């Protein structure tokens, strides 16, 4: 898992460096706001179009081999971004990088089930999301400094290509597989076989329609979050006249809060024996924090950015843990997580593009963000509709039913 966490963290640097790299890219390629929105949305476009197909079809292959091949693809496409001669080559290479990255996410779901089970999965998901938070912290806080050392945004991409080459070598050495850790639920129609009785692993979506509700929980929150991380650094530069390094230092409070939230939510959820409150409560706090930050001077941003990071990121491990709580079969869990990673990133893909289009229409990035960010309240509204999934609560419900 340590190798996977390093991969998750370094991949997140690539995903989120676009926010601080946009001013240089704009100067080099004279891009429009909508084009910049597509650069910010590339990862989420890949997630929403590939996650479910890869969960259904690629989950049958060796997760160790898939991870290695994905790393090679990431190395090549990261280098291609560094050498891109124009916007369209940059966007194509960035999108292909994201497809390579997404192709190995279901392999990680399978590896988790091979090595872990029970309450440890919630904690494990917390640490995994925290690795993304650390990568986001590096992208926002460290990349502006690294850009000065390696010759701008191109040098950062080439440096990351070298990092992925090193991680690929490390994975070739330490990557391992083992038999799945799976205990079927009582009454599971597939308990006697290796696959569900009908419909294959994709049939889990028909047998458990609540998965569609779960997958849609973060849709509005993703629209707001992706818009915020893509355009808020530019907003701080243009509206408040801050330097890029100052923006990076201040905005790094956001992923710091995210790391705190993701690391603690798994433990807190297990102690409380609840998942649901850790989903809907942050959903009602997020829009308040977004609007507060937009209307405060930069000197007052720090505590609110930390709080916003905690709220936005603590939801993610809980949503990803629910399919494991349901004690589905290994490939069914991969499909369930793939469904989450299809609908949620659709919101993340829409967010930056919508914000860029609104900026072009209104002539104001601030106004565009003020329109988009409040939709994050949908996390709270949909979260209230979710059933409680913690294993202790499910067991108690079964006892009462008997």
């Amino acid at each position: 898992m340590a190798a996977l966490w390093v991969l998750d963290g370094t991949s997140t640097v690539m995903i989120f460096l676009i926010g601080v790299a946009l001013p240089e890219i704009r100067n080099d390629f004279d891009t429009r706001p909508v084009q910049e929105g597509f650069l910010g949305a590339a990862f989420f476009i890949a997630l929403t179009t590939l996650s479910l197909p890869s969960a259904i079809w690629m989950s049958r292959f060796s997760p160790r081999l898939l991870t290695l091949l994905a790393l090679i693809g990431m190395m090549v496409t990261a280098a291609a971004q560094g050498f891109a001669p124009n916007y369209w080559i940059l966007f194509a290479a960035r999108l292909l990088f994201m497809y390579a990255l997404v192709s190995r996410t279901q392999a990680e779901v399978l590896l988790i089930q091979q090595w872990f089970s029970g309450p440890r999965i919630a904690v494990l998901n917390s640490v995994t999301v925290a690795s993304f938070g650390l990568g986001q912290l590096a992208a926002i806080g460290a990349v502006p400094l690294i850009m000065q050392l390696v010759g701008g945004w191109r040098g950062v991409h080439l440096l990351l290509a070298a990092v992925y080459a090193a991680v690929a070598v490390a994975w070739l050495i330490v990557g391992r597989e083992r038999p799945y850790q799976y205990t079927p639920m009582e009454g599971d129609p597939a308990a006697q076989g290796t696959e569900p009785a009908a419909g294959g692993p994709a049939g889990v979506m028909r047998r458990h329609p609540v998965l569609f509700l779960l997958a849609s929980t973060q849709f509005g929150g993703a629209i707001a979050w992706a818009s915020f991380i893509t355009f808020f650094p530019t907003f701080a530069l243009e509206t408040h006249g801050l330097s890029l390094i100052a923006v990076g230092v201040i905005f790094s409070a956001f992923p710091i809060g995210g790391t705190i939230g993701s690391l603690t939510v798994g433990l807190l959820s297990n102690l409380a024996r609840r998942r649901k409150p850790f989903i809907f409560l942050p959903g009602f706090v997020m829009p308040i924090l977004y609007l507060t930050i937009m209307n405060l001077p930069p000197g007052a941003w720090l505590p609110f950015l930390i709080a916003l990071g905690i709220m936005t990121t603590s939801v993610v491990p809980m949503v990803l843990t629910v399919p494991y709580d349901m004690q589905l079969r290994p490939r069914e869990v991969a499909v369930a997580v793939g469904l989450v990673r299809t609908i949620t990133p659709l919101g993340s893909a829409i967010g930056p593009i919508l914000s860029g289009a609104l900026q072009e229409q209104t002539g104001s990035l601030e106004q565009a963000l003020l329109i988009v960010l409040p939709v994050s309240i949908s996390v709270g509204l949909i979260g209230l509709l979710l059933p409680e999934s913690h294993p202790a609560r499910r067991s108690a419900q079964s006892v009462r039913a008997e």
Side-chain angles (χ1 to χ4, degrees):
M1 284 307 299
L4 292 177
W5 288 332
V6 170
L7 173 56
D8 291 335
T10 54
S11 301
T12 309
V13 174
M14 177 67 81
I15 295 168
F16 295 113
L17 66 80
I18 196 67
V20 294
L22 271 181
E24 282 196 6
I25 294 173
R26 180 183 297 167
N27 290 335
D28 287 352
F29 297 145
D30 192 26
T31 54
R32 295 167 48 214
V34 170
Q35 291 178 313
E36 295 165 4
F38 272 100
L39 287 175
F43 170 62
F44 310 108
I45 294 171
L47 265 179
T48 199
T49 55
L50 186 61
S51 290
L52 194 55
S54 69
I56 295 172
W57 300 108
M58 298 177 70
S59 62
R60 67 183 65 187
F61 301 112
S62 163
R64 179 177 181 270
L65 178 60
L66 284 174
T67 301
L68 179 62
L69 293 176
L71 276 164
I72 295 172
M74 292 162 64
M75 174 189 67
V76 172
T77 51
Q81 291 176 76
F83 291 115
N86 56 52
Y87 166 82
W88 295 108
I89 299 297
L90 173 64
F91 175 70
R94 182 170 172 82
L95 187 60
L96 288 174
F97 173 92
M98 299 309 173
Y99 274 115
L101 170 59
V102 172
S103 69
R104 43 79 45 188
T105 56
Q106 302 310 320
E108 183 171 321
V109 173
L110 296 175
L111 287 166
I112 288 173
Q113 294 177 91
Q114 289 180 0
W115 291 93
F116 302 92
S117 61
R120 290 184 297 172
I121 289 181
V123 177
L124 183 71
N125 279 332
S126 290
V127 177
T128 299
V129 175
S131 70
F132 282 98
L134 292 174
Q136 188 180 352
L137 175 61
I140 294 171
V143 164
L145 297 174
I146 297 173
M147 287 169 62
Q148 292 188 346
L149 297 175
V150 297
W153 65 270
R154 294 182 183 276
V156 174
H157 284 81
L158 296 176
L159 178 61
L160 284 172
V163 171
Y164 298 130
V167 176
V169 173
W171 180 251
L172 188 63
I173 297 171
V174 304
R176 295 291 184 272
E177 295 186 46
R178 66 182 294 192
Y180 287 106
Q181 307 297 301
Y182 167 67
T183 302
M185 295 176 63
E186 183 179 353
D188 183 353
Q192 303 302 318
T194 59
E195 292 294 344
V204 70
M205 294 182 288
R206 174 178 55 81
R207 294 190 298 273
H208 299 278
V210 72
L211 292 174
F212 287 95
L213 183 65
L214 176 71
S216 65
T217 303
Q218 299 178 92
F219 181 77
I223 290 176
W225 172 81
S227 300
F228 189 72
I229 62 172
T230 300
F231 286 112
F232 188 77
T234 301
F235 166 78
L237 285 169
E238 295 180 350
T239 304
H240 296 282
L242 300 177
S243 68
L244 186 60
I245 292 179
V247 171
V249 171
I250 296 174
F251 198 47
S252 62
F254 184 53
I256 288 174
T259 303
I260 294 170
S262 58
L263 280 176
T264 56
V265 71
L267 292 171
L268 293 174
S269 174
N270 284 338
L271 288 173
R273 297 188 176 188
R274 294 283 194 283
R275 305 286 190 229
K276 183 174 175 177
F278 295 93
I279 297 175
F280 73 80
L281 289 176
F284 289 117
V285 178
M286 288 179 204
I288 298 173
L289 291 173
Y290 277 127
L291 296 179
T292 300
I293 291 169
M294 290 295 296
N295 289 283
L296 285 177
W301 285 347
L302 194 62
F304 294 96
L305 283 170
I306 292 175
L308 180 62
I310 292 173
M311 293 296 106
T312 56
T313 310
S314 62
V315 174
V316 181
M318 294 296 93
V319 171
L320 294 178
T321 298
V322 171
Y324 297 93
D325 288 342
M326 295 171 66
Q327 295 181 285
L328 306 173
R329 299 185 68 80
R331 289 183 65 194
E332 290 179 332
V333 174
V335 170
V337 173
L339 183 62
V340 172
R341 288 176 172 165
T342 296
I343 297 179
T344 298
L346 178 60
S348 300
I350 290 172
I353 299 171
L354 176 61
S355 297
L358 287 171
Q359 181 185 358
E360 290 192 7
Q361 291 295 318
T362 64
S364 169
L365 178 56
E366 180 178 10
Q367 186 173 345
L369 291 175
L370 288 173
I371 293 172
V372 171
L373 297 179
V375 302
S376 55
I377 196 172
S378 64
V379 177
L381 297 174
I382 298 176
L384 283 173
L385 302 177
L386 292 174
E388 179 55 60
S389 70
H390 192 281
R393 298 294 162 182
R394 292 174 63 90
S395 299
Q397 292 169 2
S398 298
V399 170
R400 287 195 298 268
E402 292 174 1

